[in-house]
Amino acid sequence: MIIQRITNPSGIDDIKLIGETESEKAFVRQLAEAGTLTAVSNLSSGTVTFRVLPISSANQNTLLSRGKIGKLDFTLRQNANFAIDLKFISNSLPMALSAYTVIKLQLKNHKGGGAVVTLNLGSGLTITGEDDNILSVQFLPAQTALLCNQEYYYDLMLSTPAGTNTYFVEGKIKIDRTVTS
């Protein structure tokens, strides 16, 4: 799956999701049809551009920085593997993830709560691709077995060597509970 940030003069960027496989294209079409995000364009080819909805805040700086985060919700099956590749492109160029010293994804019961599952580089997160712009995300059965609620919140934090944290993607993860473990 390719995630592309499209800059807007308003300061609130759009996010373009491009499915590369047939299952990813079907997933992107489902997102557009379900109305989980505000679709700006919807092509039947499995590519859709979403307008990120800003979160209300009294602090205008917080609103602008939050507005640049792409929203991506997905579903995990409890007690099963789950993997997804996210391709990062900024201003039509590959965004080298190797420029970041820390990349971390956390799942929480609620925003501000304690992490139920944490993925880091080398432990669930891997940088791949010719341009180091693909982040492979993988949850193992031992991790998904811990997910007993119906949904969780997550975000993806990238830190520069100077210690600047940037968040590119956030959303909700719904859990398909299993009977057999």
Side-chain angles (χ1 to χ4, degrees):
M1 172 133 356
I2 298 173
I3 298 176
Q4 187 175 31
R5 183 168 58 184
I6 303 169
T7 356
N8 281 321
S10 68
I12 300 175
D13 297 345
D14 292 340
I15 183 170
K16 185 176 190 175
L17 302 177
I18 304 168
E20 295 181 294
T21 65
E22 287 306 313
S23 63
E24 288 176 351
K25 289 177 182 180
F27 175 69
V28 169
R29 282 192 295 274
Q30 287 174 341
L31 279 175
E33 291 168 3
T36 54
L37 302 169
T38 302
V40 175
S41 71
N42 182 4
L43 306 176
S44 60
S45 65
T47 300
V48 64
T49 302
F50 292 105
R51 170 102 351 114
V52 179
L53 300 174
I55 297 171
S56 299
S57 172
N59 183 341
Q60 187 67 13
N61 292 330
T62 303
L63 175 65
L64 290 176
S65 65
R66 298 268 309 166
K68 294 185 180 191
I69 298 175
K71 306 280 187 191
L72 178 62
D73 297 342
F74 55 93
T75 302
L76 293 179
R77 182 121 176 110
Q78 189 183 40
N79 298 306
N81 282 316
F82 177 84
I84 188 169
D85 288 340
L86 304 175
K87 185 182 276 187
F88 289 80
I89 298 173
S90 179
N91 298 322
S92 300
L93 297 173
M95 189 175 99
L97 299 173
S98 55
Y100 296 92
T101 53
V102 175
I103 301 178
K104 180 170 38 173
L105 182 147
Q106 290 186 326
L107 269 65
K108 298 182 176 187
N109 291 323
H110 56 85
K111 293 181 180 183
V116 177
V117 174
T118 299
L119 303 180
N120 294 294
L121 281 177
S123 178
L125 301 178
T126 308
I127 297 172
T128 64
E130 288 181 23
D131 298 310
D132 288 341
N133 70 323
I134 297 173
L135 184 66
S136 294
V137 179
Q138 182 170 9
F139 290 91
L140 300 174
Q143 293 166 318
T144 60
L146 302 172
L147 306 176
C148 300
N149 293 346
Q150 288 184 330
E151 68 180 18
Y152 292 85
Y153 293 91
Y154 82 94
D155 58 17
L156 181 66
M157 181 188 80
L158 293 86
S159 296
T160 65
T164 303
N165 295 337
T166 305
Y167 296 85
F168 284 100
V169 181
E170 70 178 7
K172 292 180 184 176
I173 297 177
K174 294 186 180 183
I175 306 302
D176 277 345
R177 305 262 327 255
T178 59
V179 176
T180 306
S181 58

